[in-house]
Amino acid sequence: QVQQAESGGGSVQAGGSLRLSCAASSNTPHTYCRGWFRQAPGQEREQVASIFRTGGSYYASSVKGRFSISSDNFESTLYLQMDSLKPEDTAMYYCAEGCDSGSRVFGQGTQVTVSS
């Protein structure tokens, strides 16, 4: 079974950019929702951005206009382009598959740290 694998995290100064990547998993052909979530220390995991097999995307209000989610086609590598990064964007970022929160599958995560 091939699992999702995130990459591209790192440390950057405020105002900088990073691009996260998430390789598809063996489950990707069977899912209708793919997205990015993040979790900062002491906080709950939150949804950042998602795309849907039927088309369309979702962005959290905190990242709208700064982050962009994309994929060449729904089942290929998933990207999250993050621009104008802020210290409050610091978190572990997870790639996820699944529309239902109860059955959503997460990757191992990649750390993003933004310094002021």
Side-chain angles (χ1 to χ4, degrees):
Q1 183 177 4
V2 177
Q3 295 183 320
Q4 303 168 87
E6 301 96 335
S7 62
S11 296
V12 64
Q13 289 191 326
S17 298
L18 285 173
R19 189 173 81 154
L20 306 183
S21 300
C22 176
S25 76
S26 55
N27 186 59
T28 301
H30 308 291
T31 191
Y32 286 83
C33 304
R34 301 181 72 192
W36 292 93
F37 289 69
R38 67 185 181 187
Q39 187 169 22
Q43 297 186 23
E44 293 187 356
R45 186 151 49 189
E46 64 172 345
Q47 186 175 11
V48 176
S50 295
I51 58 171
F52 311 105
R53 184 180 291 275
T54 53
S57 60
Y58 162 85
Y59 292 95
S61 58
S62 58
V63 307
K64 197 171 293 185
R66 301 188 297 121
F67 290 13
S68 178
I69 188 171
S70 65
S71 180
D72 289 339
N73 65 64
F74 185 79
E75 295 186 10
S76 64
T77 301
L78 184 69
Y79 301 100
L80 184 68
Q81 177 67 41
M82 305 186 294
D83 298 321
S84 302
L85 282 161
K86 305 175 180 180
E88 50 263 44
D89 294 319
T90 295
M92 184 72 79
Y93 283 71
Y94 299 90
C95 173
E97 294 180 335
C99 303
D100 181 358
S101 60
S103 59
R104 193 171 285 139
V105 179
F106 295 92
Q108 296 296 309
T110 185
Q111 178 68 37
V112 171
T113 302
V114 184
S115 58
S116 57

